[in-house]
Structure formats: C-alpha cells, structure tokens
Amino acid sequence: MFARLSLRFRIFLFFCLLALGGAVLAAGGLYFGWVRAEPPLPMGPFVTAFLLFAFLNTGFVALVWMLFDENVARPIDKLAADLRLCAHSNVAKAVDTEGAKYLGDLAPAVSAVSTTLNSGVMDTAAHVARETERLQAEAARLTALLTEIPVATMLISAADEIVLYDGQAAEILSLIAPPRLKAPLTDYFDTADFETARSKISEDAPEVPFTLRDRTGTHSFDARLKRLDETGHMLIVDVEDTGGNAVAARPLVYDFDLLNAAETGDMHSAALRDLCFVVFDTETTGLSTSNDDVVQIGAVRILNGRIVQGEVFDTFVNPGRPIPPASTRIHRVSDAEVAGAPDFATAGRAFHAFARDAVLVAHNAPFDLAFFRRFEREMGVEWSHPVLDTVLISAITFGITEDHSLDALCERLTVTIPSEARHSALGDALATAEVLVRLIPLLEARSVPTLGGVIAEAKQHGRLLKDLN
C-alpha cells in the first residue's frame, strides 16, 4: 500500500517521521534528566523545554521539507511525467531542465534520453502523416465512388455489430438512430429476417436477398446478405427504398479491428483502449447549473483508442430565453443561431442515442452533466453512463499541483485547438477527445489500465472539481 503513494507524499511522511522522532528523543532525554536529578526537580520547566523544542523542531523540519519538496521531489515528478509523455504518448516535448537544476546530472541525463525519444517520435510521426495522407486520399476516392453506386453497404461482425458503413448506409441508419460503429444491429433493425437470410447462405447461394425492416416497423428495404468469412457478413441495401432522393457524400466509416474484438463484458474491468467513449461539451447561457440553459452540444466518439472520423454530434439548442451578450462573447452563439434549433429535451434525447453503450467523458464533467440530469424527466431517458473527467485523469497522471485547465492540458500534450474552435461545443469536445487519446497510454504506464481503476483513483482527487465549480 505504501508503494502506491505518490513520491511527494512519501517524502512528506518521511519528514513527519523525522519531526516525530526528534520530539520523542527530546522527550526521552528530558525525562531521563528529570528522574535522575538530585534533589528532585519540578516537572514544569522540563515540560516547557519539551514543548518549545517540539515547536521549533517541527517548524524547522517543515521548512526543510518545503525546500526539499520544491527543489527535489516536484522536479523529479516533473521529469518522470515528461519522460512518460515521450515514451507512451508520442508527444515530442523538450524536458524542463531549469526546474531540476538542483538534481545534479539527472536533469541533463533525462533531457538526453528525451531528445533521443523525440527524434524517433518525430520520424515516426512524419511517416505516419505521409501514410495517413495517402490513406485519406484513397478513402476519399472510395467514398466518392460508393456515393455514385445506388446501394448502401454495411459490414457486420460475427457479434452482429456494425464494423463499416458508407454514406448511403449512414442515411438509412440515421432514419432510425445516429449511426455508430460497434453498435448492435438490433439498435436499428428487426433481425429476425436477417437471421433467416444468414441461415440460408451456402456455397450454392453465397448471397441471399431478403427484406430488411427497421426495429420500429416504419421502414423496410430490399437487402442482400453475403458471407465474407468467419469474421462477418456484408449487408447490401437498395437505397432507392429510402425515397429515391440523392444521397450526399459522407466519409466511409470503419474500424476493422472490431471484427476480432473481444466482447466488452463488464465495463469497469475492461481495458480503457477497448472501450467506447463519447467525449462531449456544452455551451450555456451562464455558469449556473440550476438557473442557466444549454445552447449548444458537441460530441465525438472514440473506439479502440482512436477518434472515429465521421461520427460527430453537433447541434445548437434553443434555450427558450435570450442568450446574455456576455455569454455570446465567449462562445459566439447568438439568438439568431438557436432560433430554429430543437429544445434541450429533444436535443438531449438525440445525444443520449448517440452516446448509447459508451463511457461519457468531459472536461469538468459535473458541470455539463448537471444540465442533462436536471432535464432527465423531460427527456424521458436515464443518464446512467459511466463518466470520466479529464480534470481528474490529469491529476492522476501529472499530480494535483499542476494546472489542469483544458488549455494547459492541450499545451502539455501538444494538442492544438484552432482559435475559432475554442469555446465552441464541438471544438472543445474534439480537443478533449485528443487529450484523452494521449492520456490513456499514460494511465496504462501508471498501472491504471481499466475503467474501474481510473474511477477509483479519480475519487481521491474529487476535491479538485468541487473547488473548480
């Protein structure tokens, strides 16, 4: 248990032990002198001498501890955090050797290791950037091609979860619920006909036509099911059944790792990188969770430790009241922009569907969640999702004395927020998501790899959020 305490707290306990030990030794020495005094002396002067010594000794030890903490313990923690950033989050950042100038050769040695790591990180990042650019160009061409073909395509895993969908499929899924990777097929469709079609697939009939109905019975589509291999099936739907309207091009959304992903099971014991996170932010009419209202909601999804490109929730919300000019100056949301927007109950229900089966994440989550829980009855949904807060994750990773604001975290983790996106719901949600992606490896490096472990560690720093709010 002692080994799990932070370095600075262990050093603090060490100095407390020194102060206590000094007081005990002084008390023992004074008592020894008193009992052997001839003739017997009154105890009062000895007690006074002990109290004076204890007071001065405690003050001296406290002063030495403060100097040691400032010039040794904190710089060691900072050096360790900088090294973890380089080693586990692919963050190329120079080590602050000035703050560790009293640590002898340790700071220059750490700086040399960091420089070597940074060089490798930059080379890898450049290669990844080139490959990413090439893959994005190929994905754009494939998206344009699929948009011209009048069919919707979905890849369904052996666990009957969505692994891939194109723009036309996104249009069909949106008729029922927000399209989501890893979502069970039952969230959208009545799977009885799907199961029947799957049972008819054989070598003689590799592709089986059938009628696909949504789970509400409102829509039906002509579809075909084709077996790929042991990992899943291709579901092809005729988009003409959506009404014959032209389909706007959308990104091809996929994650092939989901084909072989293990079942999540208990979320609290699952590894963080195996979970689905919905990172969100709100903009409001003010800072009171009981009297103000939401004017904008933005969110993105994270799967397998990566932000899912193409799965975004972004909506204005009509608060039913004028937005104070002081608030508009911060988030730039005006009365004109929210005039035709849905009310908070409607927007909240849509966001609840987008965040289904996910862990909710926000920066200072109690503030944002307070609005959703306040209107829970009007929305007709229950906000029972597990919740993580990047303020508390930052405290676990970097220590409680560091600055845990979103801007400070972004600077520390080299996340860039465009100035026009700062203080917009989607812009802040995307920045928080990028921060979370970089924090997950750091949590794993600190032996906190599961959701339950993070929640348990975060409870020790709950006071940070109370002070923040």
Side-chain angles (χ1 to χ4, degrees):
M1 180 180 177
F2 183 75
R4 291 186 59 84
L5 299 176
S6 70
L7 172 67
R8 293 179 63 200
F9 190 65
R10 279 183 281 173
I11 290 174
F12 172 74
L13 292 178
F14 173 76
F15 277 92
C16 288
L17 184 62
L18 284 180
L20 179 63
V24 170
L25 290 175
L30 290 171
Y31 179 76
F32 184 81
W34 177 69
V35 297
R36 282 165 175 71
E38 293 291 346
L41 298 175
M43 184 177 288
F46 287 88
V47 173
T48 301
F50 168 73
L51 292 176
L52 180 61
F53 172 83
F55 177 76
L56 294 175
N57 179 67
T58 301
F60 176 73
V61 170
L63 177 62
V64 175
W65 165 74
M66 290 174 62
L67 291 172
F68 193 89
D69 182 67
E70 181 69 26
N71 297 292
V72 178
R74 289 185 66 178
I76 289 176
D77 264 1
K78 185 68 168 58
L79 289 177
D82 287 343
L83 274 180
R84 278 195 296 270
L85 280 175
C86 295
H88 301 291
S89 274
N90 292 328
V91 174
K93 192 174 183 182
V95 171
D96 178 17
T97 56
E98 179 62 26
K101 58 187 176 182
Y102 298 113
L103 297 182
D105 197 42
L106 179 60
V110 170
S111 180
V113 172
S114 175
T115 300
T116 303
L117 287 173
N118 285 343
S119 177
V121 167
M122 294 303 292
D123 291 343
T124 301
H127 177 71
V128 169
R130 288 193 298 270
E131 287 299 304
T132 300
E133 186 177 358
R134 181 181 64 82
L135 291 173
Q136 286 176 341
E138 291 182 357
R141 285 194 293 269
L142 182 58
T143 297
L145 176 63
L146 290 175
T147 302
E148 297 300 321
I149 302 174
V151 295
T153 306
M154 285 175 270
L155 180 59
I156 311 300
S157 71
D160 290 348
E161 295 177 337
I162 298 174
V163 174
L164 172 150
Y165 60 87
D166 62 8
Q168 290 89 333
E171 293 289 336
I172 290 175
L173 295 173
S174 297
L175 296 172
I176 308 157
R180 305 170 356 254
L181 289 181
K182 207 179 186 309
L185 203 61
T186 51
D187 281 4
Y188 301 91
F189 303 109
D190 178 355
T191 57
D193 292 327
F194 177 87
E195 295 291 347
T196 301
R198 180 159 54 184
S199 67
K200 293 179 179 179
I201 294 176
S202 64
E203 291 185 6
D204 296 330
E207 188 172 295
V208 176
F210 71 106
T211 300
L212 182 67
R213 299 176 176 85
D214 75 356
R215 60 186 176 86
T216 65
T218 305
H219 306 281
S220 63
F221 315 93
D222 289 334
R224 288 166 285 147
L225 189 65
K226 183 176 181 179
R227 186 180 183 85
L228 292 180
D229 49 35
E230 295 300 322
T231 59
H233 293 76
M234 185 68 74
L235 179 60
I236 303 168
V237 183
D238 186 348
V239 297
E240 290 179 357
D241 288 324
T242 64
N245 296 322
V247 179
R250 286 195 183 196
L252 184 67
V253 182
Y254 61 91
D255 188 339
F256 292 125
D257 288 342
L258 297 175
L259 285 171
N260 302 308
E263 197 170 324
T264 300
D266 177 33
M267 294 177 74
H268 285 73
S269 60
L272 291 170
R273 62 177 60 249
D274 293 337
L275 292 172
C276 174
F277 300 96
V278 167
V279 186
F280 75 104
D281 184 63
T282 61
E283 299 300 333
T284 62
T285 58
L287 298 178
S288 171
T289 57
S290 56
N291 297 318
D292 284 302
D293 294 285
V294 172
V295 298
Q296 190 179 32
I297 307 171
V300 297
R301 298 180 79 236
I302 294 175
L303 270 176
N304 292 328
R306 298 186 294 269
I307 298 173
V308 181
Q309 302 299 326
E311 292 191 350
V312 172
F313 187 90
D314 184 21
T315 182
F316 289 117
V317 179
N318 191 334
R321 59 191 286 189
I323 302 174
S327 298
T328 297
R329 282 195 293 272
I330 295 174
H331 50 54
R332 301 178 298 280
V333 179
S334 65
D335 291 327
E337 289 174 306
V338 302
D343 61 18
F344 189 44
T346 303
R349 281 191 293 272
F351 176 61
H352 189 273
F354 180 81
R356 185 170 180 174
D357 300 325
V359 178
L360 290 177
V361 183
H363 196 77
N364 190 17
F367 176 80
D368 299 281
L369 278 175
F371 293 97
F372 290 95
R373 288 176 174 154
R374 186 175 120 206
F375 284 87
E376 203 169 44
R377 180 175 297 179
E378 290 88 338
M379 292 178 186
V381 299
E382 185 177 351
W383 293 97
S384 56
H385 305 65
V387 178
L388 291 182
D389 194 306
T390 46
V391 173
L392 299 183
I393 297 176
S394 175
I396 296 170
T397 307
F398 301 111
I400 60 173
T401 58
E402 295 292 335
D403 185 353
H404 304 297
S405 67
L406 182 57
D407 290 314
L409 263 179
C410 287
E411 181 180 357
R412 192 175 302 140
L413 297 168
T414 64
V415 173
T416 301
I417 311 179
S419 57
E420 66 274 11
R422 186 68 174 103
H423 294 302
S424 70
L426 183 58
D428 285 356
L430 184 57
T432 305
E434 292 185 5
V435 163
L436 178 64
V437 166
R438 286 166 169 77
L439 286 174
I440 288 175
L442 297 178
L443 289 169
E444 293 171 341
R446 295 183 69 92
S447 301
V448 191
T450 65
L451 176 64
V454 176
I455 292 174
E457 291 283 337
K459 287 179 180 178
Q460 302 178 28
H461 306 298
R463 185 67 199 176
L464 281 174
L465 293 178
K466 292 180 181 178
D467 293 342
L468 188 63
N469 290 309

